[in-house]
C-alpha cells in the first residue's frame, strides 16, 4: 500500500472539488475589473427603507444585539416572522418552537440539508437550481437528482413536468428541495404544480425544503407557500430572508418556519455553523416585517416597471425573453442572436458591450439544457437599466 504524501493530496476535499468559485463572485469581479454594468449578481443598487436602516442604527446604539443574541434568534424577530406568516398566508407558527433565525437563507438551506440528510440520501431538486443547493447537498453527502424545468418559448415561461418529478422519486429520496418564485428562471410555480408536489410528498412520506426568498417579488397572482397545502405544514421546512424583501442583501437575516421536530433538527446543525449572527439587524428586520401593505405593493410596482423596461429592451436587442412572474431575474435565449454558448457569451459581453450577465448553464447538471440561456438582473436603477439596454442593442450591429 502506498502512502500518499500531503503534497499529492488536494487540499479541497472531493465533495467540494467540483465547485470552484461561485459564478456570482466571478462575474461581479469581472464587472469591477472591466467597469461594466453588473446585471449578474442579484442585489439592488438602492438600499431599503430609511426607517429600517434607522431601526438598525437605534438597535446598535441602544446595545440591542451587540452581544450574542439567543441561538434561535431574538424573540422580537421570531414573533414578527410568525405574525408575517399569519398576515400574508394564514399560517400559524409558534415563535418559540416553530421559528428559527439564520444567517440569511443561505445558512438555513445549509443547516436544513446538513441536519436532515444521511450520506447517500437522494434530494430531488428543480433544475436549473440556485448554486448553493448542489454544494450543500454535496457537503451533507447527499445525491442530487435534478428534475429539469422545461422552457416553452411560445408562452415565454418554464413548466414543471409533474410526471418527471414523480419518476425522480425513489426509495432513497429523503426530501424535495423546492424554490418558488424560482431563481434563475423567474417562474412562479402554479397552484396545480404545487398541489402535485404536495400530493407526491404526502404519498411518499417526504420532507420538502422550500426556498421562498422571493415571496414578495411576484408580479401576477400572489405567492402561495407550499406549507398551506393539505398535509404539508407538518413536513415542510419553509425558508425565507430579509435580503430581497427589504433590499438589504448584506444584512444576512433569514429564517425557517416549520413544525417543532423539523425546527429542532435544523437548529442542531445551525448552532454549529454560525451559532448566531446579525444581532442588531434582527431587531430592524422585526420592524421591517411589520411595514404596511403599501411598502410591499410599492416594492412590487417598482420592480414590475423595471422588469418590463429590461424585458422590452432585451427583446428589442434581439434576445428571446422569458418574461418572469417573480424574482429579480430575466432569463433570455441567446440563439436568436446567432449564439449558443452562454458561458462564452457572458465572458465576452463586458468587452463587447460593457454589460455583465450570468450563464444559466452553471445552475444545471445537464449543462446542455442550460447552454443557450443567460440571466439578467433588473433590480437596478432605471437609468442603469436604460444604459444597459442601449449597450446591449449594439450587439445586433456587430
Ligand atoms: N435562495 C435563492 C433562490 C437566492 O436567489 C438567494 C440569493 N439571494 C438565496 C437563497 C440566498 O439568500 P440570502 O442572501 O438570504 O442568504
Ligand atoms: N442570490 C443572488 C443571485 O442569484 C446572489 C447571491 C450570491 O452571490 N451568493 O444572483
Amino acid at each position: 500500500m502506498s502512502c500518499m504524501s500531503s503534497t499529492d493530496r488536494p487540499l479541497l476535499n472531493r465533495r467540494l472539488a467540483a465547485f470552484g468559485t461561485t459564478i456570482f463572485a466571478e462575474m461581479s469581479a469581472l464587472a469591477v475589473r472591466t467597469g461594466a454594468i453588473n446585471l449578474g449578481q442579484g442585489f439592488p443598487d438602492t438600499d431599503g427603507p430609511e426607517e429600517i436602516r434607522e431601526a438598525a442604527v437605534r438597535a446598535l446604539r441602544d446595545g440591542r444585539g451587540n452581544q450574542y443574541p439567543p441561538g434561535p434568534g431574538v424573540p422580537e424577530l421570531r414573533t414578527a416572522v410568525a405574525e408575517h406568516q399569519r398576515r400574508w398566508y394564514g399560517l400559524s407558527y409558534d415563535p418559540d418552537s416553530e421559528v428559527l433565525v439564520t444567517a440569511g437563507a443561505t445558512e438555513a438551506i445549509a443547516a436544513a440539508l446538513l441536519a436532515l440528510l444521511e450520506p447517500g440520501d437522494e434530494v430531488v431538486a428543480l433544475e436549473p437550481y440556485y448554486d448553493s443547493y448542489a454544494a450543500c447537498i454535496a457537503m451533507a453527502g447527499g445525491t442530487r437528482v435534478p428534475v429539469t424545468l422545461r422552457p416553452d418559448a411560445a408562452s415565454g415561461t418554464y413548466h414543471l413536468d409533474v410526471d418527471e418529478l414523480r419518476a425522480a422519486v425513489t426509495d432513497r429520496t429523503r426530501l424535495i428541495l423546492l424554490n418558488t418564485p424560482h431563481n434563475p428562471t423567474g417562474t412562479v410555480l402554479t397552484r396545480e404544480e404545487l398541489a402535485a408536489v404536495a400530493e407526491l410528498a404526502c404519498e411518499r412520506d417526504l420532507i420538502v425544503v422550500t426556498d421562498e426568498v422571493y415571496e414578495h417579488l411576484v408580479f401576477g397572482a400572489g405567492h402561495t407557500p407550499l406549507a398551506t397545502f393539505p398535509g404539508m405544514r407538518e413536513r415542510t421546512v419553509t425558508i425565507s430572508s430579509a435580503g430581497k424583501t427589504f433590499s438589504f442583501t448584506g444584512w444576512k437575516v433569514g429564517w425557517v418556519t416549520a413544525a417543532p421536530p423539523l425546527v429542532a433538527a435544523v437548529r442542531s446543525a445551525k448552532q454549529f455553523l454560525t451559532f448566531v449572527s446579525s444581532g442588531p439587524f434582527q431587531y430592524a428586520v422585526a420592524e421591517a416585517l411589520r411595514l404596511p401593505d403599501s411598502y410591499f405593493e410599492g416594492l412590487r410596482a417598482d420592480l414590475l416597471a423595471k422588469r418590463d423596461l429590461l424585458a422590452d429592451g432585451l427583446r428589442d436587442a434581439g434576445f428571446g425573453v422569458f418574461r418572469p412572474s417573480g424574482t429579480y431575474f430575466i432569463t433570455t435565449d441567446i440563439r436568436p442572436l446567432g449564439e449558443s454558448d452562454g458561458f462564452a457569451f457572458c465572458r465576452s459581453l463586458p468587452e463587447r458591450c460593457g454589460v455583465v450577465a450570468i450563464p444559466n448553464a452553471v445552475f444545471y447538471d445537464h449543462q446542455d439544457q442550460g447552454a443557450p440561456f443567460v440571466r439578467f438582473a433588473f433590480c437596478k436603477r432605471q437609468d442603469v437599466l436604460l444604459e444597459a439596454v442601449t449597450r446591449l442593442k449594439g450587439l445586433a450591429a456587430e
Side-chain angles (χ1 to χ4, degrees):
M1 201 175 101
S2 70
C3 185
M4 212 190 252
S5 81
S6 62
T7 48
D8 293 333
R9 180 175 156 175
L11 288 173
L12 187 60
N13 71 51
R14 66 174 79 94
R15 294 183 301 288
L16 284 174
F19 291 100
T21 306
T22 84
I23 193 70
F24 307 116
E26 180 188 339
M27 288 300 170
S28 283
L30 183 63
V32 169
R33 206 166 57 241
T34 58
I37 296 176
N38 189 357
L39 303 188
Q41 196 176 23
F43 62 91
D45 58 1
T46 310
D47 286 343
E50 181 61 31
E51 70 218 79
I52 302 305
R53 254 188 297 172
E54 285 306 317
V57 171
R58 257 196 332 274
L60 249 155
R61 289 221 172 98
D62 297 349
R64 284 179 293 137
N66 291 331
Q67 309 305 329
Y68 297 134
V74 303
E76 287 82 349
L77 178 54
R78 282 185 279 119
T79 302
V81 168
E83 282 172 16
H84 172 275
Q85 296 306 92
R86 184 187 289 281
R87 167 181 166 194
W88 291 98
Y89 311 121
L91 284 166
S92 105
Y93 286 101
D94 170 35
D96 290 330
S97 59
E98 299 189 310
V99 180
L100 173 68
V101 175
T102 54
T106 306
E107 188 195 33
I109 294 160
L113 295 171
L114 289 168
L116 298 170
L117 295 179
E118 290 291 355
D121 282 345
E122 291 179 357
V123 177
V124 173
L126 306 185
E127 175 187 68
Y129 30 60
Y130 183 56
D131 67 341
S132 84
Y133 298 178
C136 288
I137 294 167
M139 284 193 275
T143 303
R144 58 185 190 272
V145 177
V147 172
T148 310
L149 289 174
R150 302 292 171 191
D152 175 11
S155 64
T157 55
Y158 279 75
H159 301 290
L160 171 63
D161 183 326
V162 173
D163 293 332
E164 278 186 48
L165 181 68
R166 240 168 213 289
V169 172
T170 73
D171 293 342
R172 290 179 301 282
T173 308
R174 170 66 161 164
L175 60 87
I176 299 176
L177 177 52
L178 206 70
N179 169 217
T180 183
H182 183 261
N183 178 8
T185 64
T187 298
V188 176
L189 294 181
T190 62
R191 283 198 75 86
E192 292 68 33
E193 287 167 332
L194 289 171
V197 174
E199 197 179 312
L200 180 62
C202 292
E203 192 181 303
R204 302 297 297 265
D205 195 19
L206 303 174
I207 298 166
V208 182
V209 175
T210 168
D211 174 348
E212 304 185 359
V213 298
Y214 297 101
E215 62 186 313
H216 285 288
L217 312 189
V218 282
F219 310 122
H223 171 69
T224 309
L226 189 73
T228 59
F229 284 78
M232 293 312 291
R233 190 190 178 287
E234 300 310 309
R235 61 175 70 250
T236 303
V237 176
T238 305
I239 293 172
S240 192
S241 78
K244 311 298 151 60
T245 299
F246 302 111
S247 302
F248 289 119
T249 59
W251 288 11
K252 296 299 282 190
V253 177
W255 50 87
V256 167
T257 48
L262 287 168
V263 162
V266 179
R267 195 172 56 227
S268 297
K270 180 261 181 313
Q271 66 188 340
F272 298 118
L273 294 174
T274 55
F275 180 48
V276 292
S277 60
S278 308
F281 296 123
Q282 292 193 24
Y283 291 95
V285 170
E287 290 193 29
L289 285 165
R290 297 191 176 113
L291 284 169
D293 289 6
S294 55
Y295 165 75
F296 297 87
E297 285 155 14
L299 173 78
R300 223 180 349 255
D302 177 59
L303 276 168
L304 178 61
K306 289 172 172 174
R307 176 198 75 168
D308 287 338
L309 191 166
L310 187 60
D312 293 349
L314 287 164
R315 182 200 56 207
D316 296 345
F319 291 81
V321 172
F322 293 88
R323 199 172 287 255
S325 308
T327 78
Y328 282 158
F329 308 114
I330 297 175
T331 282
T332 59
D333 186 343
I334 57 175
R335 283 171 294 192
L337 293 166
E339 308 264 354
S340 55
D341 179 349
F343 273 112
F345 180 79
C346 288
R347 294 212 163 98
S348 71
L349 204 56
E351 198 168 306
R352 288 165 70 186
C353 73
V355 175
V356 161
I358 301 286
N360 281 23
V362 295
F363 304 119
Y364 284 81
D365 280 316
H366 302 100
Q367 296 230 337
D368 53 317
Q369 296 285 322
F373 301 110
V374 166
R375 189 193 87 175
F376 292 86
F378 55 84
C379 47
K380 307 292 173 183
R381 292 193 317 269
Q382 196 186 26
D383 58 307
V384 172
L385 294 175
L386 283 169
E387 174 60 24
V389 165
T390 304
R391 294 183 186 190
L392 288 161
K393 283 181 182 157
L395 287 174
E398 280 181 355

